[in-house]
Structures are given as C-alpha cells and as structure tokens.
Amino acid sequence: MAQIEKKVGLLRKSSASKKPLKEKVVLMYDEIFTKEDPTKSNPRFWEELFLMKVNIEYLESKLESLDGEELMKQKDNINSLFQHCIQTLGAEHQIRVVNSLQTLCALIRGVHQKNKPTSGFDIINMLMGFDKAELRMKNLMESLDVLLCGEGSESLKSLCLKLLLCLVTVTDNISQNTILEYVMINSIFEAILQILSSPPSRREHGYDAVVLLALLVNYRKYESVNPYIVKLSIVDDESTLNGMGLVIAHALFEYNRQYKDKEEENQTGFFSTLTNMVGSMFIADADEKISVQTNEAILLALYEAVHLNRNFITVLAQSHPEMGLAPVPISPVPASPTSPLGTTPPSSDVISPTELPLDADVQTSNLLITFLKYSSIVMQDTKDEHRLNSGKLCLIILTCIAEANLMVEFIVTHMMKEFPMDLYTRCIQIIHKLLCYQKKCRVRLHYTWRELWSALINLLKFLMSNETVLLAKHNVFSLALMVVNLFNMFITYGDTFLPTPSSYDELYYEIIRMHQIFDNLYSMVLRLSTSAGQWKEPASKVTHALVNIRAIINHFNPKIESYAAVNHISQLSEEQVLEVVRSNYDTLTLKLQDGLDQYERYSEQHKEAAFFKELARSISINVRKNLAVNTLSQQILLKEFSTIS
C-alpha cells in the first residue's frame, strides 16, 4: 500500500504520477478566498467547516501570500469568517468551538503578520469592519467569559486563554494594539480571578492567566484609565490573592530548581575548589558558567501585584510547602493538551497536579523567600540584557518590600568595569528605606551590620580606584553621597535601631579602622569641588556630607595613638580600640544633619515608565514567539468531551 505524505494541507501518494490532493478543509479555505459567498454552492458550508480539523499553518500562509491590495479585496470574506467563528463559540458541539477558537487565532495572527506596517485601525477593519467591530468584540469577549467561567472542558478554557494571549501579543508594543480597547471595555478580569481562586483551574491555567493579567495591566497604563489596574488594586479576596501568589511562587521556584540542578552538574571538584579559593568577587567578571532562561513575564506579574495591591503584601509571607519536597500523589491526571496556540511555559511553570498539603514534616517556604533566592541567582550575572532587566525588576520589587542581606551580596559581587550604576543606586536606596523604617518604628534588627559597613566602604574604595573609567560614564558622586549618608544615618540614629550599644561602638571602630578610605575620598572630592568642571557641585555635596565621619576620625585617632604610646603598644587590638572609643564619646562634637531619614517615594510613572514599556514589549514578543501553532489531537478531544457530563 502506497504511503501517504502530508505537507501544509497537501495530500499526495508517493507515486509521482498522481496529482497532489488537498485536504477538504484546505479546499474550503480556498473557497472562502475565491468566492463571494461559499454558502451559495453549499448551504451547510460553515457547519461543515467547523467540524473539520483546523489547518492553522495553511490558513496563516494563505493570508501571508496575499499582498496588501489582494488582502483588501478579501476583506468581506475575512469579516465573514471572523463573524462565523464568533457565532460558533456558542455551539453545543464542542469540537466546533475548539475549531473556531483555533481559526480565530490563525486569522488574528495571519492578518497582523501581513499588516505590520499599517495602523491598528486598519487591522480592526480587516478582521471585523469598523461598523461591526464593537458588536463583534462584545460577542467575542462575552463568549470567552462564559467558556472560562463555565464547567466545560479544560481544553476549551486553555484555548480561550491562548486566544486572548494571541490577541494581546500580536503587536510588539501592546499599547499600540488598538483591538485591546475592546478588551478594556468588555473586561474578563473576573474570569481571570475565578481561575486563580479555584485550585483545579489554577493548576491547569494559572500560568497563562497570570501572564495575561500582567500584560493587560500594562496596556496604555500611563495614557488612560486602565480598568484592569483599578480592579487589581482593590482585590481583597484571600483565596484569589493566595492563588496568584502560588502560581508566581511555583514559577520562580522552578527557575531556582533548574539553576541548582545545572549548578550541581557543573560543580566538579576542581571548579568548586577554585571558586572557593578565588572568592565570589572575581566571579562577577568571569564568563557565565550557568544559564537558565529568566522569566520576566512572571516577574512582571509579581511586581504589578506588589505595587498595585496593598493586600498582596501578606501573601509574600504566606507559608506553603517547599515545592518539590513534598511527595506528589501518583494518581494520573487526564492528559490536557495545553500547548496549542498559547504560551507554552516550561513544564516546570505549571502548578503540580495536586495542591501540596501542609504537614509538620514538610519543609515550608513562602513567596518572599523564593523571590529572594531567584533575585540572588539572577543578579549573579547581569551582562545579558534579559538578566539585566530581570535584575533591575527584582530591585524595583525589593524597593517596595526591602531586604538588606541580599543587598550586601550584590554590592560585594558586582564591582566591575562595566559598572551597573543604576542597579547599585537602587540597591543603596533599598537599604536606606529599610533603615528609615527601622528608625521610624524602632525596630532593632539582629543582623551582622559589619558586613554591610564593610561592603559599603569597599564600594567607596572601588569608586575611587576606578575614578577615571567610571567618571567617563557615570556621576559616581551621587552614589558616593548616598553611601556616605547611609553612614551618617547610622551615626545620627543608630542608637535607635542597632541591636545593642556594642553595635554602635563597632560602627565607630569600622570607620576608624578604614579611615584611610574616607580620607582618600575627602581628598578626591575636595580636589574636584575646588576646581572648575562638571563635577564641582556633586563633589561639593560629598565634601559636606563627610563632616561627621571626618570629625570621628580626627577625634579618635589622636586618642588611640596616645593610648598606644602611653601603654607602649605597637598595634592595638579591637577591644583596646573599642575601650578608647567608649571612654571618649563625651568629648566628641557632631553636626546635626537634616533629612537623613527622608526619602523619595517610589513612583513608577515618573521614573520607570520607559523601562516598563520596553519590558512589556519584550515580554509580548517572547510570548508571541512561544505560541504553538499545532492543533489539538481530535482523538484526545473526543475522549475528553465524552467524559463531560
């Protein structure tokens, strides 16, 4: 028996003597694009079409093969196909609904790919016609809402989300996608929340729902009132917020797990020993050894939740079992084809088949811990653009929920010639906000503050050592001023938030011990502040900010030297220096500095609008690139539909 081959809708026998045969669905597509009304020759044309397995590749290529003028001639036919797809979404036969969803995806993608240079309004006209667009989109969004909120097939719900993601990401800049105006008017926000609040739906569709919401929130967020922003900001349902947190936590956890797995693969005995010997500071300039693709979409979703919704902050600390540690029940889950026409996240990005139960013997974690681990990994190497964006977004998120330990690690490990000035600025701002909070609330955090002081002093040393290179690209004095003012914050208010009186003594000890760095910094800024040039004013600000640090050094150093001379000690121990410090506080005079505990509140629109526009653009491109175009297996669908009561 001769073998049959299939390629883009063509069926042909291996014998060269036979003419290629086309699938029936392909012939029907051709009829749509060659006749005014295909129902004239076949009254049941549309009913039959949506019973046929969709050939997405052929339909898209057919649209792509038409030039602009030919496409305009086919506008009525395309409008008709679009209309019948929407009408079929209400059909009782679910195979027809599946086929209409996939056909809509192919139509939207095909028309947009062909009309990239044209405006969005032309696209609307091509798909629906200007006069019918509002009604068509209203019907489409209402049908999708019914399917997403109903008790029907999980495959249908999955395809609805894929279609919405396809609709949102057809343009690189989602704010230029004018079709989304209709998605704003006909909101599906409640349907997304329902998916996130229900454990079964969340397991199947949580990832796509969260990514879709993050993208919709970023549609023209600075130019007009976005209803998705307004609604997300007032969500207070605990199950919904926790559901969103679980989806985000799982995606970040899987990234961390993949990194750990790769790290273990690469961790040979020699490499491990060498790393420990050389130290992490030099790893920052080394070639990237371990690479796991970052997930900016899920990170953007976390940012929007933290930034917009006050209630979400409690989700960060909500305990849940450490994913991957609890055993997953073996009971099989019906295969659900979630990949066609949508963002197919890595299998790791989908919530595990069952909700993990809390158990005393299971190690627990929370979203904040998982996020901090993710941030720590991402910020190890920020040379790649995606990792740089992820690192920046992590720091922006941390600006809202501040944590100091990770900041110390970042400061120490990123002193390199390609200096990430913006990231360092955010890092220092986060530490400052945390200190302001501690001072205001009198919180005494039991933390090894010496690590932070040492990191900050080494940062100042790095800035001075690379003055010529860095000044050619950055205003390093703004960063130096921020670092110096952190020390001023400790000097002025440290007694209100440092854990013990001895911690305050240790602060003075570190300043005195490393006085040469502060002396060198003063010489550098004094030199530039007393000469004409672009750095005169910023250098002068650092000069004034150093007044109390220099007072401490000039006050205690002579007394330490005198103590050593009187006691005939060539080199004093730390305890001996601390003894001198404690006994000479009363004669120290410091200048009161105003505004140290004041900071500029975070504002996305004024400072980060360009970053988030470009980030949303990058995510849109990535989501669209990962939209699968293969159709669902009819056999799987029939099996699934047969089990639905």
Side-chain angles (χ1 to χ4, degrees):
M1 183 176 178
Q3 292 183 340
I4 304 293
E5 294 179 22
K6 178 181 176 183
K7 185 177 181 182
V8 195
L10 297 181
L11 296 175
R12 64 182 179 86
K13 293 186 178 181
S14 56
S15 170
S17 61
K18 298 289 184 180
K19 258 187 157 183
L21 301 175
K22 288 186 177 181
E23 296 176 64
K24 184 174 181 181
V25 72
V26 169
L27 293 171
M28 296 183 82
Y29 291 153
D30 289 342
E31 281 191 71
I32 294 173
F33 291 104
T34 55
K35 295 186 177 181
E36 290 185 4
D37 183 0
T39 60
K40 288 183 178 179
S41 58
N42 180 5
R44 295 175 54 84
F45 179 87
W46 297 112
E47 294 178 37
E48 293 177 6
L49 176 67
F50 292 112
L51 284 174
M52 302 283 179
K53 182 180 177 181
V54 181
N55 191 323
I56 294 173
E57 186 179 2
Y58 182 84
L59 186 53
E60 286 191 20
S61 64
K62 182 73 176 178
L63 289 165
E64 191 174 352
S65 67
L66 301 173
D67 61 29
E69 188 176 337
E70 290 174 327
L71 198 65
M72 283 303 299
K73 290 179 180 177
Q74 298 294 335
K75 185 181 83 69
D76 291 341
N77 297 343
I78 294 171
N79 287 176
S80 180
L81 178 56
F82 194 87
Q83 175 193 353
H84 281 92
C85 284
I86 294 173
Q87 290 175 347
T88 307
L89 292 178
E92 292 184 10
H93 201 307
Q94 294 197 345
I95 286 291
R96 285 179 174 165
V97 181
V98 168
N99 290 335
S100 65
L101 286 168
Q102 293 180 323
T103 304
L104 280 169
C105 288
L107 261 181
I108 293 166
R109 286 158 57 104
V111 171
H112 269 279
Q113 286 172 4
K114 189 63 186 175
N115 287 269
K116 284 182 180 178
T118 65
S119 68
F121 289 104
D122 289 333
I123 301 299
I124 293 173
N125 189 36
M126 185 62 63
L127 287 173
M128 298 166 269
F130 288 133
D131 56 334
K132 298 291 192 341
E134 188 173 342
L135 177 62
R136 296 281 184 266
M137 286 302 299
K138 181 176 183 292
N139 292 339
L140 173 61
M141 298 306 295
E142 287 178 351
S143 296
L144 293 176
D145 188 74
V146 168
L147 291 170
L148 286 171
C149 296
E151 299 293 329
S153 157
E154 295 302 327
S155 290
L156 282 181
K157 292 181 181 181
S158 177
L159 271 176
C160 289
L161 288 170
K162 311 303 183 188
L163 173 59
L164 286 165
L165 283 167
C166 178
L167 193 67
V168 171
T169 62
V170 286
T171 58
D172 293 353
N173 184 345
I174 60 174
S175 293
Q176 293 178 351
N177 184 358
T178 49
I179 293 180
L180 293 188
E181 285 296 327
Y182 301 107
V183 183
M184 297 293 117
I185 296 169
N186 304 285
S187 173
I188 49 145
F189 183 81
E190 286 71 22
I192 294 174
L193 294 196
Q194 183 172 316
I195 289 170
L196 295 176
S197 63
S198 166
S201 292
R202 182 168 65 242
R203 288 194 295 269
E204 295 288 340
H205 316 297
Y207 183 89
D208 282 351
V210 164
V211 172
L212 176 62
L213 180 59
L215 289 169
L216 289 172
V217 164
N218 278 272
Y219 173 72
R220 302 193 68 191
K221 66 192 303 187
Y222 309 115
E223 294 87 12
S224 60
V225 177
N226 182 320
Y228 291 86
I229 292 178
V230 176
K231 291 181 178 182
L232 179 58
S233 68
I234 60 175
V235 174
D236 58 2
D237 180 69
E238 186 176 347
S239 63
T240 302
L241 294 173
N242 285 338
M244 186 174 186
L246 273 172
V247 174
I248 295 170
H250 192 277
L252 297 179
F253 169 82
E254 285 300 326
Y255 176 92
N256 298 345
R257 184 188 60 76
Q258 290 171 27
Y259 179 88
K260 183 179 178 182
D261 290 346
K262 285 199 173 186
E263 186 179 46
E264 289 175 354
E265 289 175 14
N266 295 355
Q267 201 79 10
T268 63
F270 173 76
F271 182 77
S272 177
T273 304
L274 183 63
T275 301
N276 291 333
M277 288 172 59
V278 174
S280 61
M281 188 174 295
F282 295 97
I283 298 302
D285 272 329
D287 291 333
E288 185 178 356
K289 299 294 182 184
I290 302 171
S291 177
V292 180
Q293 185 175 355
T294 53
N295 193 333
E296 284 86 5
I298 213 72
L299 207 58
L300 179 63
L302 174 59
Y303 165 76
E304 298 296 357
V306 169
H307 178 231
L308 295 175
N309 192 293
R310 289 185 177 183
N311 301 309
F312 192 80
I313 204 75
T314 60
V315 175
L316 295 171
Q318 184 74 38
S319 295
H320 58 75
E322 183 77 71
M323 296 169 183
L325 294 178
V328 178
I330 304 174
S331 57
V333 178
S336 177
T338 57
S339 60
L341 290 166
T343 55
T344 308
S347 58
S348 55
D349 280 337
V350 182
I351 295 296
S352 55
T354 57
E355 295 285 38
L356 300 174
L358 285 173
D359 188 282
D361 297 324
V362 176
Q363 182 180 347
T364 60
S365 182
N366 58 46
L367 176 54
L368 179 58
I369 293 172
T370 305
F371 167 67
L372 290 175
K373 290 178 180 177
Y374 176 93
S375 301
S376 179
I377 294 170
V378 167
M379 289 193 287
Q380 287 180 23
D381 189 341
T382 54
K383 293 177 184 176
D384 173 78
E385 182 180 357
H386 288 290
R387 294 175 73 88
L388 181 64
N389 286 338
S390 279
K392 181 173 180 177
L393 188 49
C394 285
L395 289 173
I396 290 175
I397 294 170
L398 282 167
T399 299
C400 304
I401 57 177
E403 163 61 48
N405 300 3
L406 181 62
M407 298 302 93
V408 173
E409 178 186 336
F410 178 83
I411 291 170
V412 170
T413 59
H414 286 73
M415 298 179 201
M416 59 184 81
K417 290 179 181 177
E418 292 299 323
F419 188 69
M421 181 72 176
D422 181 57
L423 300 190
Y424 265 99
T425 301
R426 295 176 191 281
C427 182
I428 302 302
Q429 287 173 338
I430 290 168
I431 297 171
H432 181 231
K433 288 182 180 181
L434 179 62
L435 296 181
C436 291
Y437 173 81
Q438 287 183 249
K439 181 255 180 184
K440 178 182 178 182
C441 301
R442 302 274 172 162
V443 174
R444 297 187 182 274
L445 185 64
H446 288 275
Y447 171 68
T448 311
W449 290 104
R450 271 191 171 182
E451 292 182 5
L452 173 61
W453 299 330
S454 177
L456 293 173
I457 291 170
N458 281 322
L459 176 57
L460 291 175
K461 182 180 179 181
F462 175 82
L463 295 179
M464 288 183 288
S465 301
N466 296 273
E467 174 189 348
T468 304
V469 175
L470 295 178
L471 278 179
K473 300 179 181 179
H474 310 290
N475 175 8
V476 298
F477 300 107
S478 62
L479 182 59
L481 179 63
M482 294 170 66
V483 173
V484 170
N485 278 336
L486 282 184
F487 279 101
N488 287 330
M489 183 87 174
F490 280 106
I491 293 167
T492 308
Y493 302 114
D495 60 323
T496 67
F497 60 79
L498 287 172
T500 62
S502 62
S503 299
Y504 194 75
D505 301 335
E506 290 170 0
L507 167 66
Y508 277 62
Y509 174 79
E510 284 299 314
I511 292 173
I512 295 164
R513 185 176 71 88
M514 305 299 289
H515 71 89
Q516 192 62 55
I517 292 176
F518 291 108
D519 291 342
N520 293 343
L521 176 62
Y522 181 74
S523 298
M524 171 183 160
V525 295
L526 185 63
R527 167 171 48 88
L528 289 166
S529 64
T530 54
S531 61
Q534 68 178 114
W535 305 121
K536 180 179 176 67
E537 184 179 346
S540 179
K541 290 181 180 179
V542 181
T543 305
H544 295 307
L546 283 166
V547 60
N548 281 343
I549 293 175
R550 296 191 70 244
I552 291 170
I553 293 169
N554 294 335
H555 176 74
F556 286 105
N557 266 356
K559 291 178 169 50
I560 292 169
E561 291 170 3
S562 174
Y563 179 91
V566 169
N567 292 281
H568 305 288
I569 303 172
S570 59
Q571 187 172 357
L572 271 63
S573 66
E574 178 178 336
E575 189 53 46
Q576 288 169 328
V577 173
L578 288 172
E579 182 184 336
V580 175
V581 169
R582 294 187 190 107
S583 59
N584 287 280
Y585 275 132
D586 55 346
T587 55
L588 173 65
T589 302
L590 297 176
K591 181 181 178 182
L592 182 62
Q593 294 178 310
D594 297 326
L596 293 174
D597 59 343
Q598 304 296 314
Y599 59 86
E600 184 181 358
R601 295 191 65 84
Y602 171 72
S603 173
E604 176 190 318
Q605 184 166 355
H606 295 102
K607 290 197 170 184
E608 307 297 346
F611 170 72
F612 279 102
K613 283 180 179 179
E614 189 56 37
L615 183 69
R617 178 188 182 92
S618 173
I619 292 171
S620 177
I621 293 170
N622 189 55
V623 170
R624 184 174 69 247
K625 185 173 67 175
N626 289 324
L627 289 175
V629 294
N630 52 310
T631 58
L632 287 171
S633 163
Q634 297 283 335
Q635 186 177 359
I636 292 175
L637 283 171
L638 290 170
K639 184 178 179 181
E640 181 182 341
F641 294 155
S642 67
T643 63
I644 299 173
S645 57

